[in-house]
Amino acid sequence: MLQSNEARLERWEKKVEWPLTALAVLFLVVYAWQVFDDHGVMHFPLEIALWLVWAVFAADYVTRLTLAQNKVQFLKTHLFDLAAVVLPMVRQLRVFRLITVLTLLNKKFEDKIRQRVSIYVGGVTVLVVFCASLAVLDAERHAEGASITTFGDALWWTLTTMSTVGYGDRYPVTVEGRLVAGLLMVGGIALLGVITGTIASWLVEKLRGVEEAELETAKELRNLRAEIAELRAELKTRSSS
């Protein structure tokens, strides 16, 4: 029965992978529209659409948790999914839903990550920067004493925070904004670590390849010298006879 559940879970995840990814992208479009619209005439319909998206992902999470054989392990390995489901009231944390897109990108590139590191890292960076900028703008622009009131301000703050430069000319003053800042700082460090680790791994692989090529060349040279020595010995034998 347990094995049957695991097989069903795997089939379910494969079946809903692309539809949920498309839904996550749709969520980003709707959320961005809502942030830029800033309580315009479309604000309420867009809010309903976001809640519908949340309901679909909540149903998916409950389904996967039900099918999982080791539920504790499932909870530990799907913390971002859990956060996206249990924290819908915090508007800015809804961007967790984009983890679905990042997960799919990781699955597609994990076998060729070093060969396509620029595409992968570039895509993830743009996605994180855009989402964090939307989230902090949503949290800050109407707060008293806020220094982040436009998308340009939010984008500048995100870039300086993610790169750990932190000029201090823009900073969040709300609890939600600071929560986004904390997550962004951790994410920025993690992303830089991925970039550094990937480049280091690529260099080690290249150096190992050069070393192996040199060893192979040295081996061929030794074999060639041995053959030459054998030929010389054979020629000496024939000349002496």
Side-chain angles (χ1 to χ4, degrees), residues 207-221:
L207 291 174
R208 185 182 295 117
V210 171
E211 183 180 355
E212 291 175 353
E214 289 179 348
L215 291 175
E216 185 66 25
T217 301
K219 182 180 178 181
E220 291 178 357
L221 286 174

Side-chain angles (χ1 to χ4, degrees), residues 31 34-35 38-39 43 47 50 90-94 132-143 148 154 174 176-177:
Y31 181 64
Q34 188 183 53
V35 171
D38 192 19
H39 298 290
H43 182 82
E47 184 68 15
L50 289 177
V90 184
R91 285 172 47 84
Q92 293 73 30
L93 294 187
R94 293 177 183 179
S133 299
L134 286 176
V136 76
L137 177 62
D138 191 20
E140 293 290 310
R141 61 183 166 192
H142 297 303
I148 303 174
T174 64
E176 295 86 354

Side-chain angles (χ1 to χ4, degrees), residues 16-194:
V16 302
E17 183 179 65
W18 281 108
L20 290 182
T21 300
L23 197 59
V25 173
L26 176 63
F27 158 83
L28 178 59
V29 173
V30 173
Y31 181 64
W33 187 355
Q34 188 183 53
V35 171
F36 291 134
D37 187 52
D38 192 19
H39 298 290
V41 294
M42 291 297 296
H43 182 82
F44 184 69
L46 293 173
E47 184 68 15
I48 293 177
L50 289 177
W51 276 103
L52 290 175
V53 171
W54 172 84
V56 172
F57 279 106
D60 169 68
Y61 185 84
V62 172
T63 300
R64 288 185 292 142
L65 179 61
T66 302
L67 294 176
Q69 177 179 342
N70 188 335
K71 290 179 172 47
V72 174
Q73 182 63 23
F74 180 87
L75 290 171
K76 290 181 179 179
T77 56
H78 294 78
L79 292 177
F80 284 109
D81 289 338
L82 179 62
V85 170
V86 301
L87 297 174
M89 299 299 179
V90 184
R91 285 172 47 84
Q92 293 73 30
L93 294 187
R94 293 177 183 179
V95 292
F96 273 136
R97 190 62 271 154
L98 271 295
I99 294 296
T100 301
V101 178
L102 300 183
T103 301
L104 182 61
L105 285 174
N106 185 64
K107 288 180 180 179
K108 296 303 177 184
F109 286 111
E110 62 183 356
D111 294 332
K112 299 180 179 180
I113 181 63
R114 284 189 290 272
Q115 291 85 344
R116 302 183 181 180
V117 62
S118 59
I119 299 175
Y120 179 80
V121 174
V124 170
T125 301
V126 170
L127 192 60
V128 170
V129 167
F130 184 64
C131 291
S133 299
L134 286 176
V136 76
L137 177 62
D138 191 20
E140 293 290 310
R141 61 183 166 192
H142 297 303
E144 183 179 355
S147 60
I148 303 174
T149 57
T150 67
F151 185 72
D153 294 337
L155 187 60
W156 171 250
W157 171 84
T158 300
L159 291 174
T160 57
T161 302
M162 189 174 182
S163 61
T164 68
V165 174
Y167 285 110
D169 56 340
R170 297 286 185 272
Y171 53 88
V173 297
T174 64
V175 174
E176 295 86 354
R178 290 172 179 173
L179 182 57
V180 173
L183 294 172
L184 181 61
M185 284 184 275
V186 173
I189 293 172
L191 185 58
L192 289 175
V194 169

Side-chain angles (χ1 to χ4, degrees), residues 190-202:
L191 185 58
L192 289 175
V194 169
I195 296 172
T196 303
T198 302
I199 293 175
S201 176
W202 178 79

